[in-house]
C-alpha cells in the first residue's frame, strides 16, 4: 500500500517540478520578448542593422532612453510583484499592498515637495524616496504604541498616515503653480517610465537588488509570519523585529521603484494573485513567479503606454487594463488546473 | 524511572486589561509526565497555556529546566518548548509538509533550510498520523481535525522537551482522539519529554494523563495524582468542578483498568 502511494506521490512530485519548469520557461521567454520589444518600440525608430553599424544617434537613443526604460520595467515590475507578495503574506491579507502602510501617499507627498522646492529631477526622486520611507516609519512608530503588536494596528496606523500624507499633498497642490508645478505633480502621481533620470537609476536598481536578495533569504520567515502571532513566536521568531525588518526591506524596494516612476498601481496586487493561482502552495517558486509576472506586466503596460496614442500615456492605466482581465481569466480558468 | 524537573511555574497571574483571569498559579511538570489541564469553559485554561508560553503578559516565574524563561529569547524558548494552539492561524496556501517543517525553525539559522533528515522525520510523523498521502496538498484543503493533527506533528517533529497543548482533541473524532493521545504518550515516555495538555474530554485525561490540574475560577482548585490516588478522592475532586459525576472502573481486553467519568 505504502509502495503504491509512494509511487503516486513521486509521480505527482515529478509532475509538479515539470509544471513549475514549464511555467518558468514560458514566463522567462515572455519576459525576454517584452524586454526586447521595449528596446525597439518608441517614437524614434531603432533598427538592429543601424545599431550594429554603429550609428551614433541610434546608440545614444538606445542607451539613454530605451535601455534605462526597459531595465526600470524589468527591475521595477519584479520588485513590485515581490513586495506585493510579501505584504500579502506578512499581513495575512490578500488585499494588502505596499500602499497599506502609506508608501504610495508618502512618496506622492515627497515628490510634490521635491517638485515645488527643488528643481532637479534627481532631487524629486530623492524626495519621493524620503517621503515613502518617512510615511512607513511613522506608520510603524504609531503601531508600536500598541504593545500587543497586532497586524490590525499596523493597518489602522497606515490608514491614519495615508490620510495625513494626502492632506499634505493637497496643501502642496494648493500652493503649486497650476500651469507648471501642479501639472508635474499630477503627472508624477499618474506614473510613467518616461524621462527617468539616468543618474538615479543605478543606485535605485542596486537598492532593489539588495532588498530582493534579503526578501528571498527571509522567505521562510515571511511564511511563518502568516500564522498567528503567538504561533509565530512559539516557532522561534521575534515577531515584531522580523516583521519590521521584512516590511522595511520591502519598503526600500517599492520606494526605489516609485521614486523613479511615480505611482504604479495594481502590479503589487495582481502579480501575487496570478502567481498564486498558477503555483498554489506558497514556496520560493511562487515568489519568483510573482516577480516575473510583475516584470511582464510593467514591461507590457509601458509598451502600450508609449505606442497606443500620439502622446505618452500614464502607465498605470495599462497595468490595470492588462492586469484586470488577466486576473479574471486566471480566477476562472486557473483555479482547477493544478490541484 | 529518573525524573527531572522540566517546568516550574510559580505565582503565575495573568489577565486581560484589569480583569484578572489567573491568580497565583503554582505547579511543576517532570520529564515523562503528561499533565492534564481540566476545567469548565472560561475557567482560564487557554489563558494559562498562553501565559506559560509568554504569548500574553503575566506576572510570576516560569522556570524551564532551571532557567528563568524571562531571560530567554523567543528562539531559545522555542528550542525548549513547542505549542499546539487551539486553532492554527495559518491562513495562506502552504503544503502540509512545509507546515510540519516549520517545527524545525527554532533550530535553523536564517540562511539554512530544512535538510533531508528533517524532511524524512516530518514525513515519518505524517505517516504516523495517517496524513502522508496529503503531504503535498495545501494545508487549507484539510479538514479541521486533519489540520489539528498536522499542528500536533509540527510540535513533535523537532523533539523539543516540553509540549504545551491547548485542547488538541477538540476537532478530532472519537477514535482519532485516542490514537492521537497514544502517539503523544509514546513520544513523551520514550523520549523523556513532558506535556501540559488542556482537555475538555475528561475521560481522555483520565486514561492518558499522570496528573491533573483542576482549574476553577482562575485558580488551581486541586491537583490529582492519577497513579497514586484512590478513586473516591479523585471523584470528589472532580465533583467540585463538574457537579454530580461518578467515576467507574472499566477493563480493556488486556485487563488494564482505566477510569471513566459519567454524569449522574
Amino acid at each position: 500500500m505504502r509502495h503504491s502511494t509512494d509511487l503516486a506521490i513521486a509521480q505527482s512530485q515529478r509532475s509538479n517540478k515539470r509544471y513549475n519548469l514549464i511555467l518558468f520557461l514560458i514566463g522567462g521567454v515572455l519576459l525576454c520578448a517584452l524586454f526586447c520589444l521595449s528596446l525597439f518600440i518608441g517614437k524614434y525608430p531603432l533598427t538592429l542593422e543601424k545599431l550594429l553599424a554603429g550609428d551614433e544617434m541610434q546608440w545614444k537613443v538606445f542607451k539613454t532612453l530605451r535601455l534605462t526604460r526597459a531595465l526600470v520595467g524589468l527591475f521595477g515590475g519584479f520588485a513590485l510583484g515581490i513586495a506585493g507578495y510579501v505584504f500579502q503574506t506578512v499581513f495575512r491579507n490578500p488585499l494588502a499592498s505596499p500602499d497599506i502602510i502609506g508608501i504610495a501617499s508618502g512618496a506622492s507627498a515627497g515628490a510634490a515637495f521635491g517638485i515645488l522646492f527643488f528643481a532637479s529631477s534627481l532631487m524629486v526622486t530623492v524626495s519621493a524616496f524620503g517621503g515613502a520611507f518617512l510615511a512607513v516609519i511613522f506608520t510603524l512608530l504609531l503601531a508600536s504604541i500598541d504593545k500587543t503588536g497586532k497586524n490590525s494596528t499596523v493597518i489602522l496606523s497606515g490608514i491614519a498616515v495615508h490620510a495625513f500624507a494626502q492632506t499634505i499633498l493637497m496643501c502642496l497642490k494648493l500652493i503649486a503653480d497650476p500651469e507648471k508645478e501642479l501639472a508635474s505633480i499630477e503627472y508624477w502621481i499618474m506614473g510613467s517610465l518616461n524621462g527617468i533620470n539616468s543618474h538615479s537609476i543605478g543606485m535605485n536598481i542596486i537598492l532593489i537588488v539588495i532588498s530582493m536578495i534579503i526578501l528571498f533569504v527571509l522567505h521562510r520567515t515571511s511564511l511563518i509570519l502568516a500564522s498567528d502571532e503567538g504561533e509565530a513566536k512559539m516557532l522561534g521568531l521575534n515577531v515584531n523585529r522580523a516583521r519590521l525588518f521584512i516590511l522595511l526591506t520591502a519598503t526600500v524596494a517599492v520606494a526605489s521603484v516609485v521614486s523613479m516612476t511615480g505611482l504604479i498601481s495594481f502590479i503589487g496586487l495582481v502579480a501575487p494573485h496570478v502567481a498564486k493561482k498558477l503555483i498554489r502552495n506558497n514556496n520560493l517558486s511562487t515568489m519568483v513567479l510573482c516577480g516575473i509576472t510583475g516584470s511582464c506586466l510593467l514591461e507590457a503596460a509601458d509598451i502600450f503606454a508609449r505606442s497606443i496614442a500620439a502622446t505618452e500615456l500614464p502607465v498605470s492605466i495599462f497595468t490595470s487594463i492588462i492586469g484586470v482581465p488577466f486576473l479574471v481569466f486566471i480566477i476562472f480558468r486557473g483555479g482547477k488546473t493544478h490541484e | 524511572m529518573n525524573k527531572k524537573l522540566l517546568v516550574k511555574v510559580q505565582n503565575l497571574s495573568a489577565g486581560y486589561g484589569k480583569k484578572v483571569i489567573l491568580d497565583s498559579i503554582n505547579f511543576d511538570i517532570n520529564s515523562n509526565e503528561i499533565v492534564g489541564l481540566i476545567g469548565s469553559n472560561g475557567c482560564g485554561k487557554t489563558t494559562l497555556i498562553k501565559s506559560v508560553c509568554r504569548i500574553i503578559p503575566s506576572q510570576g516565574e516560569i522556570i524551564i529546566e532551571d532557567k528563568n524563561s524571562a531571560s530567554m529569547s523567543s528562539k531559545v524558548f522555542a528550542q525548549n518548548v513547542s505549542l499546539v494552539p487551539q486553532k492554527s492561524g495559518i491562513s495562506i496556501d502552504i503544503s502540509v509538509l512545509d507546515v510540519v517543517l516549520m517545527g524545525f525553525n527554532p533550530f535553523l539559522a536564517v540562511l539554512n533550510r530544512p535538510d533531508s533528515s528533517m524532511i524524512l522525520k516530518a514525513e515519518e510523523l505524517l505517516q504516523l498520523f495517517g496524513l502522508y498521502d496529503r503531504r503535498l496538498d495545501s494545508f487549507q484543503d484539510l479538514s479541521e481535525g486533519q489540520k489539528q493533527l498536522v499542528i500536533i506533528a509540527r510540535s513533535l517533529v523537532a523533539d523539543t522537551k516540553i509540549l504545551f497543548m491547548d485542547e488538541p482533541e477538540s476537532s478530532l473524532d472519537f477514535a482519532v482522539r485516542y490514537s492521537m493521545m497514544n502517539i503523544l504518550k509514546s513520544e513523551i515516555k520514550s523520549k523523556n519529554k513532558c506535556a501540559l495538555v488542556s482537555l475538555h474530554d475528561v475521560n481522555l485525561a483520565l486514561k492518558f494523563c499522570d496528573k491533573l490540574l483542576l482549574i476553577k475560577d482562575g485558580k488551581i482548585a486541586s491537583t490529582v495524582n492519577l497513579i497514586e490516588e484512590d478513586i473516591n478522592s479523585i471523584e470528589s475532586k472532580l465533583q467540585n468542578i463538574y457537579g454530580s459525576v461518578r467515576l467507574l472502573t472499566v477493563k480493556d481486553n488486556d485487563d488494564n483498568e482505566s477510569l471513566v467519568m459519567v454524569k449522574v
Side-chain angles (χ1 to χ4, degrees):
Chain A
M1 192 63 198
R2 167 84 191 257
H3 182 66
S4 68
T5 56
D6 261 358
L7 261 177
I9 284 177
Q11 262 169 4
S12 92
Q13 253 175 338
R14 263 203 304 278
S15 84
N16 259 339
K17 271 189 189 154
R18 200 181 315 143
Y19 174 80
N20 288 1
L21 198 71
I22 292 171
L23 271 184
F24 283 127
L25 223 77
I26 295 173
V29 169
L30 189 65
L31 185 54
C32 282
L34 287 168
F35 186 83
C36 294
L37 207 59
S38 170
L39 291 175
F40 288 96
I41 282 184
K43 283 214 186 78
Y44 188 89
L46 285 187
T47 59
L48 201 57
E49 296 94 58
K50 282 186 186 166
L51 270 176
L52 289 176
D55 185 316
E56 215 169 286
M57 191 57 196
Q58 291 258 329
W59 272 106
K60 204 174 169 197
V61 171
F62 180 80
K63 277 197 288 195
T64 54
L65 295 177
R66 301 290 168 75
L67 190 61
T68 45
R69 203 164 176 157
L71 282 175
V72 169
L74 179 76
F75 285 97
F78 198 88
L80 291 175
I82 300 280
Y85 171 83
V86 167
F87 275 88
Q88 288 177 14
T89 309
V90 171
F91 281 120
R92 305 164 63 201
N93 184 342
L95 294 175
S97 68
D99 197 29
I100 210 166
I101 54 172
I103 296 178
S105 44
S108 307
F113 184 82
I115 290 166
L116 282 182
F117 298 107
F118 310 108
S120 83
S121 63
L122 180 64
M123 280 315 289
V124 175
T125 306
V126 172
S127 172
F129 189 95
F133 220 76
L134 262 181
V136 173
I137 300 277
F138 268 132
T139 301
L140 296 172
L141 273 179
L142 258 181
S144 71
I145 296 171
D146 178 9
K147 292 286 174 229
T148 56
K150 280 185 193 141
N151 269 336
S152 52
T153 318
V154 184
I155 293 171
L156 277 174
S157 311
I159 292 171
V161 169
H162 170 76
F164 183 61
Q166 286 294 326
T167 313
I168 293 178
L169 179 63
M170 230 182 288
C171 295
L172 290 172
K173 277 182 180 174
L174 276 177
I175 56 169
D177 173 2
E179 294 288 313
K180 289 188 218 149
E181 293 153 356
L182 189 59
S184 301
I185 293 173
E186 290 295 351
Y187 194 75
W188 190 93
I189 290 172
M190 283 192 261
S192 169
L193 269 59
N194 187 24
I196 288 168
N197 189 311
S198 53
H199 299 296
S200 62
I201 172 174
M203 192 57 210
N204 282 12
I205 284 182
I206 290 171
L207 280 177
I208 289 172
V209 170
I210 293 173
S211 43
M212 287 300 105
I213 291 171
I214 295 175
L215 291 178
F216 272 106
V217 166
L218 292 178
H219 172 253
R220 232 166 19 85
T221 309
S222 305
L223 287 183
I224 292 176
L225 284 172
S227 46
D228 273 341
E229 291 172 30
E231 215 178 332
K233 194 174 172 184
M234 288 302 290
L235 291 167
L237 283 194
N238 183 329
V239 175
N240 287 338
R241 203 196 297 164
R243 189 170 49 201
L244 182 72
F245 187 69
I246 288 176
L247 290 182
L248 283 181
T249 310
T251 302
V252 170
V254 176
S256 306
V257 181
V258 295
S259 63
M260 290 189 288
T261 62
L263 296 191
I264 293 175
S265 59
F266 216 60
I267 289 184
L269 184 71
V270 80
H273 283 288
V274 171
K276 282 191 250 180
K277 280 283 173 199
L278 294 171
I279 301 179
R280 178 142 178 240
N281 283 336
N282 285 267
N283 52 43
L284 266 184
S285 310
T286 325
M287 199 167 166
V288 178
L289 198 63
C290 285
I292 295 177
T293 314
S295 292
C296 286
L297 271 175
L298 189 52
E299 292 282 15
D302 181 46
I303 290 170
F304 281 118
R306 68 180 119 133
S307 59
I308 271 191
T311 53
E312 173 123 11
L313 298 170
V315 72
S316 282
I317 296 178
F318 295 95
T319 52
S320 313
I321 287 178
I322 302 165
V324 174
F326 194 31
L327 183 63
V328 171
F329 170 73
I330 291 282
I331 288 169
F332 283 107
R333 201 201 131 271
K336 291 182 194 123
T337 51
H338 208 77
E339 301 265 299
Chain B
M1 202 177 290
N2 245 348
K3 282 202 169 181
K4 190 180 167 204
L5 184 64
L6 291 182
V7 182
K8 187 171 187 64
V9 171
Q10 286 178 314
N11 281 323
L12 184 79
S13 301
Y16 299 98
K18 281 182 182 163
K19 196 175 172 215
V20 178
I21 310 265
L22 293 178
D23 190 14
S24 312
I25 302 277
N26 294 286
F27 63 89
D28 295 344
I29 310 175
N30 296 308
S31 57
N32 286 308
E33 236 173 31
I34 303 178
V35 178
L37 208 53
I38 302 293
S40 46
N41 285 329
C43 70
K45 296 192 297 289
T46 297
T47 308
L48 177 53
I49 300 253
K50 283 187 177 169
S51 312
V52 289
C53 287
R54 315 186 310 172
I55 292 171
I56 56 170
S58 61
Q59 284 92 50
E61 286 190 335
I62 303 150
I63 316 282
I64 304 290
E65 284 196 87
D66 302 330
K67 285 187 206 84
N68 195 328
S69 73
S71 61
M72 291 180 183
S73 68
S74 298
K75 189 165 184 158
V76 172
F77 189 72
Q79 285 169 351
N80 290 288
V81 181
S82 35
L83 165 75
V84 176
Q86 218 170 66
K87 193 172 184 299
S88 168
I90 296 175
S91 53
I92 55 169
D93 285 304
I94 176 167
S95 80
V96 168
L97 184 64
D98 281 338
V99 173
V100 179
L101 287 171
M102 281 181 181
F104 285 111
N105 191 58
F107 299 92
L108 290 171
V110 175
L111 286 171
N112 290 358
R113 300 179 66 184
D115 60 29
S116 55
S117 70
M118 292 174 178
I119 293 171
L120 196 70
K121 183 85 191 298
E123 287 177 342
E124 278 169 10
L125 271 169
L126 285 172
Q127 179 78 28
L128 208 58
F129 283 110
L131 288 167
Y132 181 78
D133 299 350
R134 308 289 310 265
R135 65 191 180 137
L136 299 177
D137 293 350
S138 168
F139 182 72
Q140 306 304 339
D141 289 349
L142 302 183
S143 72
E144 287 306 313
Q146 289 170 324
K147 282 183 186 172
Q148 193 77 329
L149 290 176
V150 172
I151 299 301
I152 294 169
R154 182 179 77 181
S155 75
L156 296 174
V157 76
D159 281 331
T160 44
K161 282 269 176 236
I162 299 158
L163 296 164
F164 291 140
M165 308 176 121
D166 194 1
E167 294 179 14
E169 95 288 20
S170 57
S171 3
L172 304 179
D173 70 45
F174 184 78
V176 177
R177 285 180 179 193
Y178 282 81
S179 61
M180 180 273 286
M181 286 304 282
N182 266 321
I183 294 169
L184 182 66
K185 190 167 180 172
S186 80
E187 278 278 324
I188 303 270
K189 302 289 174 185
S190 65
K191 293 174 181 166
N192 284 326
K193 301 182 182 184
C194 73
L196 176 70
V197 191
S198 98
L199 292 164
H200 264 307
D201 186 338
V202 178
N203 290 333
L204 213 57
L206 289 169
K207 185 169 169 64
F208 290 99
C209 294
D210 304 296
K211 238 168 41 179
L212 299 182
L213 302 177
L214 305 182
I215 312 283
K216 196 176 182 183
D217 302 329
K219 289 189 166 121
I220 297 183
S222 48
T223 308
V224 176
N225 188 327
L226 284 166
I227 299 163
E228 288 164 11
E229 268 179 63
D230 67 63
I231 183 166
N232 292 331
S233 147
I234 300 172
E235 193 175 72
S236 73
K237 285 175 179 172
L238 285 170
Q239 280 167 352
N240 180 31
I241 305 283
Y242 294 106
S244 52
V245 291
R246 291 277 294 279
L247 286 184
L248 307 173
T249 311
V250 290
K251 283 183 180 174
D252 63 15
N253 293 340
D254 304 324
D255 261 5
N256 294 321
E257 283 188 350
S258 60
L259 296 173
V260 289
M261 184 177 88
V262 287
K263 186 88 179 157
V264 288

